[in-house]
Amino acid sequence: MTGFCAAQRLPSVLITGAGSGCGKTTVSLALMAACRKRGLSVHPFKTGPDFIDPGWHTAACGVASLNLDPWMQSWKEFPENAAHQLFLHPRPLAETGAVHSAPDIAVIEGAMGLYDGLPGVAASAADVALALHIPLLLVINVRGMSASAAAVARGLAGLRPGLSVAGALCVMSGSERHEAFLRSAFAEFCPDIPLFGVLPRMENIALPSRHLGLTQAAEFCQHAEDASFFARLADLAETHIDLDALLTRLRDLAPSFPPSGNTFFSSRTTQADAMEERGKPVRIALARDEAFSFWYPENTTLLEKAGAELVPFSPVHDAGLPPDSHGLILPGGYPELHAERLSANASMREAIRLFAEDHTVYGECGGFLYLMTGLEKDGKTFPLCNCLPLRARMESRHAALGYREAQGLSGPWKNLTVRGHEFHYSRVLEKSAEIPPLWELRIPSASSLSGTCRECEGASLGYVSGSYVHLSLLSHPDAARSFVSCCRP
């Protein structure tokens, strides 16, 4: 493929299963690695709110993995945001030296189980597959079952009409005899669901995890002994999956995506246009290191379209902010794992405190924590930037999890309604009533689909704002532009 100047078909697959832990991530990475090894341009995606799995996808493909979320990205309110437009706007990973190219295949990892999600919020993997006509590859963990695997496949495929099923893979098979039983069951009970492979139990291919999910790919793959990880995954796929048959099937079922039209990406001015109309782009420092990496690539693209020049820097390693910055974004991540080094980097903390006196500064979840006076962890308090008179403490269980719709009360998004999600293990210990909240949150609830819980969240003080909400700027056409306008000198 040379580009999307007209509607074209794109071989695509959504990898899903009956629930979390069934092997979706391993299969997704194995298929991505194998396709890339064959010379294909693979564009990876993840349904639902997530930062960690997309990081692994990016490491496997050399192209930034994008999230597909019908609710968080407001597909209903803004149909032009439908995820096929994201297929037309790939974002190469600059540090890999990847060349921008049209995809040969799109590989999407589904969140949780195929139909799982908050009732009343159309954002399950099945919803994505139905909206975009993407065929499914069912991953079934067969530990402790044989013929019942066919029943699982039949149930997943048939619960909702309209789903296209490319086929199935069985994982965690115990023996050649076990594999024979599985193949016989599929041939008898699911002749219309091709079984493209049976993967054995392989303990040497395991993804490490921690409290927010998997360990980040960047820190796992930096070790020399892990350099062959994706090569092993590619070999796993080549050995145990009939890739030729699967890829042929995906080409036959390939959905058609229209050319780029009136999307948030294409309808806004380009960065070059912004420079011509408004002068130089607004230079905004964006924290990107092992402590701050939870950031949607789509947000970067939208901010650039709105006239920003995003300059990465490291609060862990650098002594100060990028020169000539007019704004600062501190994304989420794992500041608690690097609290000692962040606290010890006094020159960076002071640089941010001084910068915040007269420049727009925004912190998101982990970045929100970094802007506070300190973070308590394991009985010890780590001094931080002291831009917001708040303290937080790490807890042993998650403090919040789920979708959020946020009405801006102050700060860069005042009077705008945007969407995102929360997932964190820390709590703010105390908050003065004199600190204005950043948001009024609408929290979708399974027990109240027509009504929702509302609460105020975050903080906005002077030029500084932050909250626990991870924003998707795709949720409002003016969200990115509003932030850049606040940073403009």
Side-chain angles (χ1 to χ4, degrees):
M1 296 182 182
T2 58
F4 285 92
C5 57
Q8 294 194 30
R9 301 177 72 211
L10 174 62
S12 309
V13 62
L14 195 156
I15 297 171
T16 187
S20 298
C22 69
K24 300 187 307 291
T25 301
T26 299
V27 167
S28 298
L29 294 175
L31 182 57
M32 292 171 187
C35 287
R36 191 180 184 196
K37 187 177 179 180
R38 288 186 170 202
L40 299 179
S41 173
V42 185
H43 284 176
F45 300 85
K46 176 68 187 285
T47 72
D50 191 4
F51 298 104
I52 298 178
D53 287 345
W56 286 92
H57 300 170
T58 298
C61 300
V63 176
S65 180
L66 304 181
N67 286 72
L68 308 179
D69 191 293
W71 188 84
M72 198 165 65
Q73 297 170 354
S74 300
W75 292 5
K76 182 178 179 180
E77 290 83 356
F78 306 106
E80 62 270 26
N81 277 1
H84 62 267
Q85 300 294 355
L86 299 184
F87 286 90
L88 308 181
H89 198 90
R91 187 168 186 82
L93 186 66
E95 51 263 37
T96 68
V99 177
H100 187 291
S101 62
D104 295 311
I105 184 172
V107 179
I108 307 162
E109 180 184 349
M112 302 182 291
L114 174 58
Y115 299 101
D116 295 332
L118 187 66
V121 174
S124 69
D127 291 315
V128 173
L130 286 167
L132 304 178
H133 311 290
I134 304 291
L136 306 174
L137 181 62
L138 307 175
V139 177
I140 304 170
N141 187 327
V142 297
R143 186 190 287 270
M145 72 169 78
S146 55
S148 295
V152 174
R154 174 61 65 210
L156 288 171
L159 185 62
R160 285 177 66 177
L163 287 170
S164 172
V165 179
L169 290 176
C170 292
V171 301
M172 299 299 287
S173 172
S175 65
E176 292 183 2
R177 186 166 179 261
H178 190 188
E179 178 176 343
F181 285 153
L182 293 165
R183 292 190 179 278
S184 176
F186 270 79
E188 180 177 357
F189 300 115
C190 301
D192 57 331
I193 302 178
L195 182 58
F196 288 111
V198 178
L199 282 63
R201 301 170 191 171
M202 297 185 68
E203 304 303 331
N204 68 323
I205 296 180
L207 300 174
S209 62
R210 62 162 63 101
H211 61 276
L212 292 184
L214 296 175
T215 298
Q216 295 179 93
E219 58 185 297
F220 177 73
C221 296
Q222 68 183 347
H223 304 295
E225 61 268 24
D226 299 316
S228 64
F229 178 69
F230 292 109
R232 298 200 306 273
L233 284 172
D235 290 342
L236 175 70
E238 289 285 1
T239 303
H240 298 286
I241 301 175
D242 188 346
L243 285 176
D244 292 331
L246 174 58
L247 292 174
T248 297
R249 173 82 164 162
L250 295 180
R251 293 186 191 103
D252 291 341
L253 297 175
S256 180
F257 298 101
S260 181
N262 183 29
T263 71
F264 286 14
F265 294 120
S266 61
S267 63
R268 304 300 166 201
T269 58
T270 65
Q271 189 180 44
D273 292 334
M275 289 176 64
E276 184 176 344
E277 292 176 6
R278 308 170 189 169
K280 293 182 179 179
V282 180
R283 191 174 174 88
I284 298 175
L286 174 66
R288 298 292 285 167
D289 61 16
E290 57 267 40
F292 302 100
S293 61
F294 293 175
W295 178 251
Y296 289 120
E298 300 92 322
N299 289 349
T300 292
T301 300
L302 291 168
L303 289 167
E304 289 173 346
K305 290 288 184 181
E309 176 194 2
L310 293 179
V311 184
F313 76 102
S314 170
V316 173
H317 302 287
D318 296 341
L321 294 171
D324 302 319
S325 296
H326 293 286
L328 171 60
I329 297 174
L330 298 161
Y334 284 119
E336 66 273 20
L337 298 181
H338 307 278
E340 186 170 355
R341 289 194 293 167
L342 288 169
S343 184
N345 191 351
S347 63
M348 176 61 77
R349 293 193 289 115
E350 179 66 7
I352 290 176
R353 189 190 66 78
L354 292 174
F355 184 84
E357 292 180 355
D358 53 7
H359 293 86
T360 298
V361 175
Y362 168 62
E364 197 166 88
C365 200
F368 180 40
L369 296 182
Y370 186 50
L371 291 172
M372 297 181 188
T373 60
L375 174 65
E376 292 186 14
K377 176 189 174 187
D378 300 329
K380 184 176 180 180
T381 298
F382 297 91
L384 296 174
C385 292
N386 198 25
C387 296
L388 293 171
L390 302 170
R391 291 185 304 118
R393 180 173 59 211
M394 294 302 303
E395 306 286 0
S396 59
R397 300 184 62 182
H398 67 74
L401 170 65
Y403 285 122
R404 303 290 185 263
E405 186 170 77
Q407 171 70 41
L409 300 176
S410 56
W413 295 283
K414 186 176 182 179
N415 298 324
L416 294 185
T417 298
V418 290
R419 288 179 173 179
H421 64 96
E422 282 188 68
F423 185 19
H424 55 92
Y425 277 67
S426 66
R427 293 183 184 275
V428 176
L429 295 179
E430 62 218 13
K431 181 179 177 181
S432 170
E434 297 178 359
I435 304 176
L438 181 61
W439 309 115
E440 180 183 78
L441 296 184
R442 186 174 73 88
I443 304 175
S445 169
S447 61
S448 179
L449 298 180
S450 58
T452 55
C453 172
R454 290 180 180 269
E455 64 180 41
C456 291
E457 207 273 329
S460 180
L461 192 62
Y463 291 93
V464 182
S465 62
S467 83
Y468 278 118
V469 181
H470 296 279
L471 294 182
S472 170
L473 299 184
L474 274 168
S475 59
H476 195 290
D478 293 322
R481 193 165 45 187
S482 179
F483 184 83
V484 174
S485 294
C486 286
C487 298
R488 192 172 295 281

